[in-house]
């Protein structure tokens, strides 16, 4: 009588045996290979997405700049709409017309004032050159002839074209976002699974409100610095004090670097009058920046958006390293958005703890 053969590792056991069936080695190997392949594809997809986002980071920063201006236009439109009772479109048109008049008038004022001051500066430089010894003056003229003026001018012209193009992109992005904010918000929310769409709306609302409060703080700081610079230069007898105050106020939007850039034309104009005036101008800018950094900004942060100073400094440094001057320009508002996401999506949703930013009193 023949004995029954034992089931091998790849054979199924009898139904009444109670043991689970064992998969053949080939089939188990194919399953593990499929799982490994999916993992590799996911990692490759995430890496490709990261590279793609890095390549278009400049465009994303421009769109974020448009979002900031859209928030400004939308909030101003809401104020006009509540004050006049007009519709959204007419209120937005009033806001745009007012901003165009203000920017156009300020540009004309700065243009005419700066043109006259540049002429005066040129005369002062020419006069100073005439006072130099003959040997020094001839050497400076010879070195000036060897400078690559055409290359510098072409580089400046190409950079100016890019700046104008970026400004047009930001302007149209802001206009479209401000004209139909609900449309684009719904489009973003649709990318979230249905169970998280309500929370996504809440996060976007909190982020928008925090950015608006940050913009208020920036505008107040810009107005304060511009006014103090204009009054101080007027008291010192520096020409074009109002125009230089406007430049200082606008440059205040750029953290850390902006005040230094704003001081350059004022120092040149002051030096065109006398070296002593240039020293007084430098001292004025230094004192006002100390007031802005130690008095105005801390008060605004406590009343508007309580952004930790260390986070601001780190964001500016990281933005400058990763994205250059544009990254420094947008470092603080990006830090505001990141802190909102961390507090709402991680601290509140994952850890179940109350958020710390934005604070309740802000």
């Amino acid at each position: 009588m023949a004995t029954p053969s034992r089931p091998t590792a790849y054979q199924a056991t009898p139904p009444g045996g109670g043991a689970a069936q064992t998969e053949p080695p080939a089939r188990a190997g194919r399953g593990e290979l499929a799982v490994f392949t999916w993992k590799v594809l996911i990692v490759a997809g995430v890496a490709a997405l990261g590279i793609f986002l890095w390549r278009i980071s400049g465009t994303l920063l421009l769109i974020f700049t448009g979002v900031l201006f859209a928030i400004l236009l939308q909030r101003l439109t809401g104020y006009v709409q509540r004050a006049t009772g007009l519709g959204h479109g007419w209120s937005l048109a009033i806001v745009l017309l007012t901003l165009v008049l203000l920017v156009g008038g300020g540009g004309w004022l700065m243009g005419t004032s700066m043109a006259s001051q540049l002429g005066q500066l040129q005369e002062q430089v020419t006069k100073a050159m005439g006072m130099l010894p003959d040997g020094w003056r001839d050497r400076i003229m010879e070195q000036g002839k060897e400078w690559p003026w055409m290359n510098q001018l072409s580089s400046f012209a190409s950079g100016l074209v890019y700046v104008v193009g970026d400004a047009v992109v930001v302007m149209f992005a802001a206009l479209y976002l401000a004209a139909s904010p609900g449309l684009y918000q719904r489009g973003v929310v649709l990318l979230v699974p249905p169970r998280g769409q309500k929370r996504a709306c809440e996060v976007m609302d909190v982020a928008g409100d925090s950015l608006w409060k940050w913009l208020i703080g920036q505008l107040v700081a810009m107005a304060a610095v511009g006014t103090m610079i204009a009054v101080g230069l007027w008291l010192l007898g520096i020409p074009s004090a109002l125009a230089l105050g406007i430049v200082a106020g606008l440059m205040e939007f750029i953290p850390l670097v902006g005040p230094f850039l704003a001081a350059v034309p004022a120092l040149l104009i002051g030096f065109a009058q006398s070296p002593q005036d240039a020293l007084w101008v430098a001292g004025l800018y230094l004192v006002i920046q100390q007031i802005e950094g130690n008095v105005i900004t801390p008060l605004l942060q406590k009343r508007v958006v309580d952004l930790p100073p260390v986070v601001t400094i780190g964001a500016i440094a990281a933005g400058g390293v990763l994205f250059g001057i544009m990254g420094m320009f947008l470092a603080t508002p990006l830090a505001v958005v990141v802190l909102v996401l961390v507090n709402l999506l991680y601290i509140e949703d994952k850890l179940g703890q109350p958020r710390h930013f934005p604070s309740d009193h802000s």
Side-chain angles (χ1 to χ4, degrees), residues 186-248:
R186 288 192 298 270
V188 174
V189 170
L190 288 176
L191 300 176
V192 181
R195 62 180 181 179
Q197 291 182 357
K198 183 179 179 180
R199 184 58 169 169
C201 291
E202 295 176 357
V203 171
M204 294 179 67
D205 291 338
V206 173
D209 188 61
S210 299
L211 288 175
W212 166 243
K213 292 177 180 178
W214 175 83
L215 279 173
I216 292 177
Q218 285 298 116
L219 292 175
V220 172
M222 291 165 62
V225 170
T227 302
M228 289 189 294
I229 290 292
V231 173
L233 292 177
W234 176 72
L235 293 176
L236 292 176
I238 303 299
S240 302
L242 180 59
L244 292 173
I246 294 175
V247 171

Side-chain angles (χ1 to χ4, degrees), residues 24-44:
R27 186 179 301 175
R30 286 196 297 268
E32 293 178 359
L33 179 61
V35 172
F36 177 76
T37 303
W38 274 111
K39 291 182 179 179
V40 171
L41 291 176
I42 291 173
V43 172

Side-chain angles (χ1 to χ4, degrees), residues 112-126 272:
T112 54
S113 300
M114 288 300 177
S116 62
Q117 291 307 312
L118 285 176
Q120 180 183 355
L121 179 61
Q122 184 178 3
E123 293 177 1
Q124 294 292 335
V125 172
T126 304

Side-chain angles (χ1 to χ4, degrees), residues 133-192:
D134 294 338
W136 289 13
R137 184 171 60 252
D138 295 339
R139 185 174 180 180
I140 292 175
M141 295 297 293
E142 291 177 0
Q143 291 182 356
K145 293 178 182 179
E146 298 176 358
W147 289 343
W149 293 103
M150 295 305 297
N151 293 334
Q152 293 180 2
L153 288 176
S154 62
S155 300
F156 175 78
S158 61
L160 185 61
V161 170
Y162 281 113
V163 170
V164 173
D166 293 344
V168 171
V169 172
V170 171
M171 180 183 65
F172 278 100
L175 287 176
Y176 284 121
L177 289 171
S180 303
L183 175 64
Y184 296 98
Q185 183 177 6
R186 288 192 298 270
V188 174
V189 170
L190 288 176
L191 300 176
V192 181

Side-chain angles (χ1 to χ4, degrees), residues 342-359:
V342 170
N343 276 265
L344 269 67
L345 299 181
Y346 180 71
I347 295 179
E348 279 193 350
D349 293 351
K350 296 298 182 183
L351 301 182
Q353 300 178 2
R355 69 173 187 243
H356 303 282
F357 181 90
S359 56

Side-chain angles (χ1 to χ4, degrees), residues 2-356:
T3 60
S5 61
R6 280 192 200 167
T8 60
Y10 58 86
Q11 287 178 333
T13 57
Q21 295 184 353
T22 307
E23 290 225 5
R27 186 179 301 175
R30 286 196 297 268
E32 293 178 359
L33 179 61
V35 172
F36 177 76
T37 303
W38 274 111
K39 291 182 179 179
V40 171
L41 291 176
I42 291 173
V43 172
V46 172
L49 179 61
I51 295 174
F52 175 74
L53 294 177
W54 177 261
R55 296 294 297 271
I56 65 171
S57 58
T59 304
L60 295 178
L61 291 177
L62 289 179
I63 294 176
F64 183 73
T65 307
V67 170
L68 287 178
F69 283 102
I71 292 173
L72 176 64
L73 293 176
Q74 182 183 355
R75 295 303 178 105
L76 294 178
T77 300
Y79 293 146
V80 173
Q81 192 172 359
R82 287 190 293 270
T84 61
L86 297 174
H88 180 80
W90 285 107
S91 299
L92 179 60
I94 293 175
V95 171
L96 291 175
L97 180 60
T98 304
L99 292 177
V100 168
L101 292 177
L102 290 176
V103 174
W108 177 80
L109 176 64
M110 286 188 295
T112 54
S113 300
M114 288 300 177
S116 62
Q117 291 307 312
L118 285 176
Q120 180 183 355
L121 179 61
Q122 184 178 3
E123 293 177 1
Q124 294 292 335
V125 172
T126 304
K127 182 179 178 180
M129 289 285 293
M131 297 174 62
L132 292 174
D134 294 338
W136 289 13
R137 184 171 60 252
D138 295 339
R139 185 174 180 180
I140 292 175
M141 295 297 293
E142 291 177 0
Q143 291 182 356
K145 293 178 182 179
E146 298 176 358
W147 289 343
W149 293 103
M150 295 305 297
N151 293 334
Q152 293 180 2
L153 288 176
S154 62
S155 300
F156 175 78
S158 61
L160 185 61
V161 170
Y162 281 113
V163 170
V164 173
D166 293 344
V168 171
V169 172
V170 171
M171 180 183 65
F172 278 100
L175 287 176
Y176 284 121
L177 289 171
S180 303
L183 175 64
Y184 296 98
Q185 183 177 6
R186 288 192 298 270
V188 174
V189 170
L190 288 176
L191 300 176
V192 181
R195 62 180 181 179
Q197 291 182 357
K198 183 179 179 180
R199 184 58 169 169
C201 291
E202 295 176 357
V203 171
M204 294 179 67
D205 291 338
V206 173
D209 188 61
S210 299
L211 288 175
W212 166 243
K213 292 177 180 178
W214 175 83
L215 279 173
I216 292 177
Q218 285 298 116
L219 292 175
V220 172
M222 291 165 62
V225 170
T227 302
M228 289 189 294
I229 290 292
V231 173
L233 292 177
W234 176 72
L235 293 176
L236 292 176
I238 303 299
S240 302
L242 180 59
L244 292 173
I246 294 175
V247 171
L250 293 176
M251 289 293 102
E252 186 66 23
F253 194 86
I254 306 176
L256 297 182
V257 180
F260 293 99
L261 297 178
V264 172
L267 289 173
L268 291 177
I269 294 176
F271 188 78
Q273 295 193 156
S274 69
Q276 184 178 0
D277 288 338
L279 291 177
W280 280 109
V281 169
L284 173 68
Y285 274 80
L286 180 61
V287 170
I288 291 178
Q289 285 307 313
Q290 291 299 317
I291 295 174
E292 185 272 336
N294 297 306
V295 179
I296 298 176
T297 299
L299 290 177
L300 289 175
Q301 285 182 348
K302 290 298 181 183
R303 291 184 173 272
V304 183
V305 175
D306 193 9
L307 190 64
V310 175
V311 174
T312 303
I313 296 173
I316 293 172
V321 171
L322 294 176
F323 308 110
I325 186 64
M326 193 67 176
M328 297 180 67
F329 186 82
L330 299 174
T332 308
L334 283 172
V336 170
V337 174
V338 171
L339 283 178
V340 169
L341 295 177
V342 170
N343 276 265
L344 269 67
L345 299 181
Y346 180 71
I347 295 179
E348 279 193 350
D349 293 351
K350 296 298 182 183
L351 301 182
Q353 300 178 2
R355 69 173 187 243
H356 303 282

